[in-house]
Amino acid sequence: MGLTTSAEAPLPVGEVSRLIGGWIDRLGAVWVEGQITQLSRRPGAGVVFLTLRDPSYDISVSVTCYRQVFDAVADAVSEGARVVVHAKPEWYAPRGQLSLRAAEIRPVGIGELLARLEQLKRSLGAEGLFAPARKKPLPFLPQLIGLVCGRASAAERDVLENARRRWPAVRFEVRNVAVQGVRAVPQVLQAVKELDDHADVDVIIVARGGGSVEDLLPFSDEQLVRAVADCRTPVVSAIGHEPDSPLLDLVADLRASTPTDAAKKVVPDVGEELDRVQALRDRALRTVRGVLEREERGLAHALHRRVMEHPHRMVEEREHETDALVARSRRVLGHLLDRADSELSHTRARVVALSPAATLERGYAVLQRADGAVVRAAGEVTADEELRARVAEGEFTVRVAGD
């Protein structure tokens, strides 16, 4: 459609529509999968109109087919059913509308849906989206709980009533969404993202009652699974009943078998917690009492010991021992001093007996020359030499005779 146009030379609307139609007519037939959201079968009309919608995105396209094409699957196809259509794009020029002309319609069976879910499960599991290491722990006592559920649904009532019965002060931020059909995925996806961005929400519960495999398909959508995996807030999946297991159960941080079970797992029971606190207080009291009683018994045992009953007895016994030791020390010291005194007296007597003064007192004299030398032999002196004679009491001078 390489055309040359300008504001001065525009193309008429009809020409543009004709050109678009010519380009679309050259397109080949394609196989398309989607969910039927609107179905119009006018009595007597040879054409059936329906709208085919992508369950993961807010996109739909009109489909037309001859009555005999639809009658071949009319018993198995209705609004909300998933189908695979072999159709060729058509352009309705008068209205400028694109549609698909279906030549064959095939319903998607339960077995095929389950096979696709299993394949998606293996693919997401290989990426690690279901790994236990990615699971975030739930807060012990959430102050604000985000709840994604159907409007006025039994799931909403079960979660709210059971949670408030367990902990009356708990608060909820509720997002009512479609929980089945073509609008379920985008609405649930938006609600989860809004609650995850809410700064005060501590945990998110996605709840829905039981249903068929087709009803629960939105909770196995790949977009929703990846969005839950990216949440910073812990997510609890409470979809259907115990046997139901959408992919949301695998990626959520906690799976609850029912909405009631989700309330029990997210919110603690105030009565149980009070009982637990009382039990801990009783245990602490018993422990403290046990310690005090043990210490009292130890103190009583210590006080009943002889040394504690008569604390001065030890001092008195030690006093007698000390007195005995002091007396013994004095006796030993006295003996030592007496012996030393005796030895000193004997030594003094010997010294006195051997001293020159004692010899002098017996009448002896010591002769000394002028230089102080003691005269020991007669040949050491000369005639007329003056000597000094030292006696016991004084000294005097003597002269050596001529002979």
Side-chain angles (χ1 to χ4, degrees), residues 297-314:
R297 288 193 300 269
L299 181 59
H301 178 71
L303 291 175
H304 281 82
R305 295 177 60 185
R306 237 181 16 162
V307 67
M308 296 301 294
E309 291 180 348
H310 304 284
H312 298 290
R313 176 177 297 176
M314 182 183 294

Side-chain angles (χ1 to χ4, degrees), residues 236-360:
V236 177
S237 174
I239 306 301
H241 301 298
E242 183 66 35
D244 301 322
S245 182
L247 296 185
L248 183 63
D249 286 350
L250 302 178
V251 74
D253 299 291
L254 179 67
R255 177 188 182 269
S257 58
T258 61
T260 300
D261 184 49
K264 293 180 179 180
K265 289 183 175 180
V266 171
V267 181
D269 185 87
V270 63
E272 293 177 359
E273 295 306 318
L274 288 175
D275 292 342
R276 186 177 289 111
V277 170
Q278 186 61 44
L280 291 174
R281 291 179 61 185
D282 294 342
R283 180 181 174 185
L285 184 59
R286 289 194 302 270
T287 302
V288 172
R289 284 177 176 172
V291 172
L292 290 177
E293 290 174 358
R294 185 174 64 250
E295 295 301 322
E296 286 179 353
R297 288 193 300 269
L299 181 59
H301 178 71
L303 291 175
H304 281 82
R305 295 177 60 185
R306 237 181 16 162
V307 67
M308 296 301 294
E309 291 180 348
H310 304 284
H312 298 290
R313 176 177 297 176
M314 182 183 294
V315 178
E316 293 170 355
E317 292 175 354
R318 295 297 183 267
E319 181 181 11
H320 296 321
E321 294 178 3
T322 303
D323 292 342
L325 290 173
V326 169
R328 180 181 176 186
S329 299
R330 286 177 177 175
R331 287 195 302 272
V332 171
L333 182 59
H335 294 326
L336 292 175
L337 291 177
D338 292 342
R339 187 170 61 187
D341 182 64
S342 177
E343 291 178 355
L344 180 60
S345 297
H346 286 87
T347 302
R348 183 174 179 276
R350 288 195 301 271
V351 170
V352 170
L354 296 176
S355 69
T359 303
L360 292 178

Side-chain angles (χ1 to χ4, degrees), residues 119-172:
Q119 182 178 4
L120 178 60
K121 176 182 175 180
R122 288 196 298 268
S123 175
L124 296 177
E127 295 182 28
L129 267 64
F130 307 148
R134 300 185 72 259
K135 308 294 184 182
K136 296 178 285 295
L138 270 61
F140 167 69
L141 180 59
Q143 300 300 310
L144 182 62
I145 300 175
L147 177 59
V148 180
C149 59
R151 184 180 302 278
S153 61
E156 179 181 7
R157 183 182 64 254
D158 291 344
V159 172
L160 295 180
E161 289 183 357
N162 283 279
R164 287 168 178 161
R165 187 181 300 118
R166 292 172 64 83
W167 198 276
V170 69
R171 296 181 297 119
F172 280 90

Side-chain angles (χ1 to χ4, degrees), residues 10-298:
L11 286 177
V13 173
E15 181 65 13
V16 173
S17 181
R18 185 187 66 78
L19 292 173
I20 294 175
W23 180 78
I24 290 178
D25 285 340
R26 292 195 295 272
L27 298 178
V30 293
W31 286 98
V32 182
E33 180 185 355
Q35 188 174 20
I36 297 176
T37 58
Q38 291 181 352
L39 178 61
S40 176
R41 299 172 63 188
R42 297 191 181 103
V47 178
V48 175
F49 298 90
L50 53 94
T51 300
L52 201 62
R53 186 184 185 90
D54 190 326
S56 299
Y57 300 91
D58 192 13
I59 299 175
S60 60
V61 63
S62 298
V63 178
T64 60
C65 65
Y66 292 112
R67 177 174 288 276
Q68 57 266 30
V69 173
F70 186 82
D71 287 345
V73 294
D75 295 337
V77 171
S78 60
E79 287 190 7
R82 285 189 178 231
V83 294
V84 176
V85 177
H86 189 238
K88 185 180 184 304
E90 285 187 345
W91 181 258
Y92 185 61
R95 293 185 181 177
Q97 182 178 356
L98 176 67
S99 63
L100 297 176
R101 170 71 68 171
E104 183 180 356
I105 300 176
R106 297 182 183 179
V108 178
I110 297 298
E112 186 175 356
L113 285 176
L114 294 177
R116 292 182 185 179
L117 288 179
E118 186 62 28
Q119 182 178 4
L120 178 60
K121 176 182 175 180
R122 288 196 298 268
S123 175
L124 296 177
E127 295 182 28
L129 267 64
F130 307 148
R134 300 185 72 259
K135 308 294 184 182
K136 296 178 285 295
L138 270 61
F140 167 69
L141 180 59
Q143 300 300 310
L144 182 62
I145 300 175
L147 177 59
V148 180
C149 59
R151 184 180 302 278
S153 61
E156 179 181 7
R157 183 182 64 254
D158 291 344
V159 172
L160 295 180
E161 289 183 357
N162 283 279
R164 287 168 178 161
R165 187 181 300 118
R166 292 172 64 83
W167 198 276
V170 69
R171 296 181 297 119
F172 280 90
E173 187 74 18
V174 181
R175 294 290 185 274
N176 293 123
V177 297
V179 292
Q180 69 182 60
V182 294
R183 295 180 177 83
V185 172
Q187 290 186 13
V188 173
L189 191 62
Q190 181 181 358
V192 169
K193 290 182 177 179
E194 287 180 3
L195 293 174
D196 187 47
D197 293 336
H198 198 301
D200 296 331
V201 171
D202 299 318
V203 63
I204 300 172
I205 300 176
V206 182
R208 186 203 189 281
S212 64
V213 175
E214 295 91 335
D215 292 339
L216 301 181
L217 279 178
F219 299 97
S220 293
D221 184 81
E222 181 177 358
Q223 268 193 307
L224 180 59
V225 170
R226 293 187 181 279
V228 171
D230 293 336
C231 284
R232 63 169 183 82
T233 309
V235 178
V236 177
S237 174
I239 306 301
H241 301 298
E242 183 66 35
D244 301 322
S245 182
L247 296 185
L248 183 63
D249 286 350
L250 302 178
V251 74
D253 299 291
L254 179 67
R255 177 188 182 269
S257 58
T258 61
T260 300
D261 184 49
K264 293 180 179 180
K265 289 183 175 180
V266 171
V267 181
D269 185 87
V270 63
E272 293 177 359
E273 295 306 318
L274 288 175
D275 292 342
R276 186 177 289 111
V277 170
Q278 186 61 44
L280 291 174
R281 291 179 61 185
D282 294 342
R283 180 181 174 185
L285 184 59
R286 289 194 302 270
T287 302
V288 172
R289 284 177 176 172
V291 172
L292 290 177
E293 290 174 358
R294 185 174 64 250
E295 295 301 322
E296 286 179 353
R297 288 193 300 269

